[in-house]
């Protein structure tokens, strides 16, 4: 009798837990097929900087920030980058910044690399035109 009672209690659970809702699966699969990825070129900018760097404050960082704000006709949505505070005497120092500076052989601040090209270094007008 106990076995029959146990089977009767377990059977409803088995039937309800094994059902599958096919409608949701079809809807999710259709959503995944409608994904379109557009290709567009974007710029990656690395700037070496330091809080003690006078040139960085006077024109380095303002020019760097201007690119992300869309100044001088720059398409800000297509600019990606990071400021590397690599000097251990800088309160904003980050060891990873020193590793990146060494790996890419970037000079002292302010120094700008766009797409791993250092020809724009130390010229604010060059930074903007790049």
């Amino acid at each position: 009798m106990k076995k029959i009672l146990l089977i009767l209690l377990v059977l409803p659970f088995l039937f309800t837990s094994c059902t599958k809702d096919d409608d949701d699966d079809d809807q999710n699969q259709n959503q995944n097929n409608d994904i379109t990825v557009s290709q567009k070129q974007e710029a990656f900018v690395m700037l070496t900087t330091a809080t003690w760097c006078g040139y960085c404050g006077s024109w380095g960082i303002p020019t760097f920030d201007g690119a992300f704000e869309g100044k001088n006709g720059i398409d800000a949505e297509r600019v990606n980058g990071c400021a590397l505070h690599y000097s251990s005497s800088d309160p904003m120092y980050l060891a990873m910044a020193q590793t990146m500076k060494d790996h890419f052989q970037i000079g002292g601040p302010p120094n700008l690399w766009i797409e791993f090209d250092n020809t724009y270094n130390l010229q604010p007008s060059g930074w903007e035109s790049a």
Side-chain angles (χ1 to χ4, degrees):
M1 180 70 164
K2 289 182 183 180
K3 288 182 183 180
I4 293 174
L5 182 61
L6 181 63
I7 291 173
L8 289 175
L9 291 174
V10 171
L11 278 178
F13 175 74
L14 289 175
F15 288 119
T16 58
S17 64
C18 293
T19 61
K20 184 176 179 181
D21 190 5
D22 291 334
D23 294 337
D24 288 341
D25 290 341
D26 291 339
Q27 184 179 6
N28 290 338
Q29 196 163 14
N30 288 337
Q31 288 175 349
N32 292 336
N33 291 336
D34 294 336
I35 296 173
T36 303
V37 178
S38 62
Q39 292 183 350
K40 63 180 180 176
Q41 185 173 354
E42 295 189 2
F44 185 77
V45 179
M46 287 191 299
L47 170 71
T48 57
T49 187
T51 55
W52 47 259
C53 171
Y55 293 113
C56 296
S58 64
W59 57 264
I61 292 295
T63 305
F64 182 70
D65 289 343
F68 296 100
E69 295 167 2
K71 292 183 178 176
N72 298 324
I74 295 171
D75 185 355
E77 292 183 13
R78 296 175 58 192
V79 178
N80 306 288
C82 62
L84 304 176
H85 289 263
Y86 68 90
S87 174
S88 59
S89 64
D90 187 336
M92 296 177 69
Y93 168 76
L94 184 64
M96 177 59 82
Q98 179 65 48
T99 302
M100 292 175 70
K101 178 188 177 297
D102 293 343
H103 178 76
F104 294 112
Q105 299 175 348
I106 300 172
N111 192 309
L112 180 77
W113 279 58
I114 299 175
E115 301 300 326
F116 307 104
D117 182 355
N118 193 25
T119 59
Y120 311 104
N121 188 23
L122 300 177
Q123 303 262 344
S125 60
W127 290 22
E128 291 172 2
S129 65

